[in-house]
Amino acid sequence: MSLDPMDLKTNHSAPVLTDPAPISKSRLGVHSSLLPYSPSGTFPSDLFLAIPRKKTGVLDDVRARSWLDAMKSSSPPPKWMAKESNNEFSSTDTDVAYRTWQRQYPSALTSFEQIVKSAKGKRIALFLDYDGTLSPIVDNPDCAFMSDAMRAVVKNVAKYFPTAIISGRSRDKVYEFVGLAELYYAGSHGMDIMGPGKEVNLFQPAREFLHMIDAVFHSLMENTKEINGVKVENNKFCVSVHYRNVDEKYWATVVQRVHEILKQYPTRLRLTHGRKVLEVRPVIDWDKGKAVMFLLESLGLSNCEDVLPIYVGDDRTDEDAFKELREGNHGYGILVSSVPKESKAFYSLRDPSEVMEFLKSFVMWKQSSAL
Ligand SMILES: O=P(O)(O)OC[C@H]1O[C@H](O[C@H]2O[C@H](CO)[C@@H](O)[C@H](O)[C@H]2O)[C@H](O)[C@@H](O)[C@@H]1O
């Protein structure tokens, strides 16, 4: 797995890039998929037009500048610069730092016995993130394929435990990558939930944003098209703007173009920051954590006493699920990371290959306990 520089920082080091005007509490719990979409007010009709921009290229907005800072602070200096300033850690230092970190976030592999002990008499529900968890991080998001071996293991594990894939990707895209009809899928960071079988929509809390997100996707495509390396991905209820392949000197331009679009929707859309990606999302009180709780409820597994939910993920958006489980004293979050970082998870795994080992262990444990 390629090491993502973003991992070198803790989750708390970068600002949270959210819109300041969250949805009102009165809408909490309301299935807004049941509400009609109203294109009034904040939805400009001329979004497909390129937006006139300043010639200077200097970021003129505090918020846009803080986005850029977050992108930069989550990337290490180039190797030559690190060497010159004597900043380069030896691999021994890195190993020591990782082992020290593991005291706080023990390996889920070495703690496997402990995990299954606490699962005794309980029903386990598995929640798996996709990118960086089931598939390695790669330069081209369209080529983030999971291995056949991983697919076989996920298929096996789903025979014994209800299993859901929770991803920032569109549900269709992640379904296409995973290809297992027997799973639950929550795409768009949990905003598009489907049950096993063919097209069983369970919940789409951001349905009213569908047209807006689509328009923003096209505007972002238009407004970033001349920036080399940018990739805009339509995730149905959110949009990803990837800058992994953009020269760092153009990151400010990426931010500026995203900001130009986003400021048209000051109360409707917000920006979050993932692994070399900016993500435009609706302002609704919904995230991967809420999706997990929704799925547990739908599965009739929301009784904490006899259910052990386990969530495996690598990204900031997975922290919402870790937090939900930790605060509800409800199962375990497992962070996938090959470098130390702060998390609400309980355990850790280094990379997707360790995730595969962990899932295999579950299958073996279940098979042996059925003998
Ligand atoms: O919730 P996830 O399943 O982890 O999805 C999060 C984002 O993953 C993808 O982007 C990331 O993986 C790409 C492929 O390895 C990588 O090129 C990119 O830099 C990463 O940010 C996906 O493309 C995004 O849409 C997801 O939101």
Side-chain angles (χ1 to χ4, degrees):
M1 183 174 115
S2 64
L3 198 140
D4 193 308
M6 183 166 172
D7 295 338
L8 296 172
K9 286 274 170 183
T10 71
N11 284 324
H12 303 298
S13 60
V16 178
L17 309 173
T18 53
D19 192 278
I23 197 162
S24 76
K25 289 284 176 200
S26 64
R27 295 183 68 183
L28 289 186
V30 172
H31 288 212
S32 54
S33 52
L34 302 175
L35 301 172
Y37 168 66
S38 157
S40 62
T42 53
F43 184 35
S45 56
D46 59 348
L47 255 179
F48 290 92
L49 300 175
I51 290 176
R53 44 188 80 97
K54 288 176 143 189
K55 289 204 182 89
T56 59
V58 173
L59 295 178
D60 60 346
D61 187 282
V62 174
R63 187 174 307 172
R65 243 178 285 131
S66 78
W67 293 342
L68 182 63
D69 290 345
M71 288 158 73
K72 288 195 169 160
S73 70
S74 61
S75 296
K79 279 209 171 92
W80 62 267
M81 207 187 275
K83 263 188 192 144
E84 274 178 18
S85 61
N86 249 344
N87 259 346
E88 206 174 39
F89 290 110
S90 71
S91 58
T92 324
D93 292 335
T94 312
D95 288 349
V96 170
Y98 194 79
R99 282 200 300 274
T100 308
W101 175 77
Q102 277 188 317
R103 284 190 209 136
Q104 199 182 344
Y105 304 97
S107 161
L109 286 176
T110 53
S111 311
F112 190 73
E113 288 306 318
Q114 202 180 318
I115 295 174
V116 292
K117 210 167 147 200
S118 62
K120 206 169 175 348
K122 294 187 179 177
R123 286 170 295 166
I124 293 174
L126 276 175
F127 299 92
L128 307 170
D129 168 55
Y130 184 75
D131 288 279
T133 297
L134 297 180
S135 69
I137 293 293
V138 292
D139 283 347
N140 182 352
D142 293 336
C143 296
F145 305 112
M146 72 193 271
S147 66
D148 289 342
M150 181 68 96
R151 184 170 299 102
V153 173
V154 175
K155 190 176 173 60
N156 249 336
V157 93
K159 285 182 192 153
Y160 299 105
F161 315 104
T163 302
I165 307 291
I166 316 282
S167 175
R169 301 243 185 198
S170 75
R171 193 187 71 184
D172 288 349
K173 186 75 192 175
V174 76
Y175 184 92
E176 191 186 311
F177 275 141
V178 177
L180 297 171
E182 56 270 51
L183 310 184
Y184 288 79
Y185 289 86
S188 309
H189 295 296
M191 288 180 280
D192 194 4
I193 304 182
M194 178 179 98
K198 276 237 169 264
E199 293 296 310
V200 188
N201 281 344
L202 287 181
F203 191 41
Q204 293 181 323
R207 212 170 176 160
E208 61 182 303
F209 289 87
L210 204 54
H211 295 105
M212 188 187 288
I213 291 289
D214 194 52
V216 165
F217 164 70
H218 288 287
S219 301
L220 284 166
M221 289 278 280
E222 182 62 29
N223 279 264
T224 59
K225 69 180 180 203
E226 86 282 18
I227 308 172
N228 211 358
V230 159
K231 179 167 174 62
V232 184
E233 191 182 1
N234 189 343
N235 288 333
K236 191 166 179 179
F237 293 106
C238 48
V239 182
S240 292
V241 181
H242 294 274
Y243 59 91
R244 183 172 291 280
N245 302 317
V246 176
D247 191 313
E248 191 171 336
K249 62 177 182 269
Y250 300 117
W251 288 5
T253 317
V254 175
V255 167
Q256 190 172 359
R257 301 296 157 82
V258 173
H259 182 56
E260 283 163 1
I261 306 293
L262 212 74
K263 68 183 179 190
Q264 315 269 322
Y265 306 89
T267 61
R268 305 283 280 158
L269 300 178
R270 67 190 177 119
L271 196 67
T272 57
H273 183 204
R275 299 178 77 162
K276 293 280 174 69
V277 68
L278 295 172
E279 300 192 281
V280 178
R281 296 164 67 164
V283 177
I284 60 164
D285 189 23
W286 197 261
D287 53 35
K288 287 183 171 184
K290 299 262 179 354
V292 167
M293 299 323 280
F294 175 88
L295 277 165
L296 285 170
E297 181 96 44
S298 312
L299 287 160
L301 300 176
S302 53
N303 175 358
C304 309
E305 297 306 309
D306 67 347
V307 176
L308 188 81
I310 294 181
Y311 187 105
V312 191
D314 73 313
D315 209 347
R316 278 195 188 143
T317 55
D318 300 309
E319 289 296 327
D320 294 319
F322 297 154
K323 185 165 174 260
E324 200 76 51
L325 297 186
R326 184 180 275 269
E327 288 177 359
N329 201 12
H330 198 200
Y332 300 122
I334 301 177
L335 174 68
V336 183
S337 180
S338 56
V339 292
K341 59 181 175 183
E342 229 174 287
S343 174
K344 292 274 183 198
F346 269 92
Y347 293 105
S348 66
L349 291 167
R350 271 185 193 265
D351 52 31
S353 71
E354 286 202 357
V355 173
M356 191 158 85
E357 287 313 305
F358 178 72
L359 297 178
K360 269 189 199 166
S361 308
F362 256 117
V363 173
M364 278 157 59
W365 167 70
K366 194 68 191 178
Q367 285 171 342
S368 65
S369 56
L371 292 176

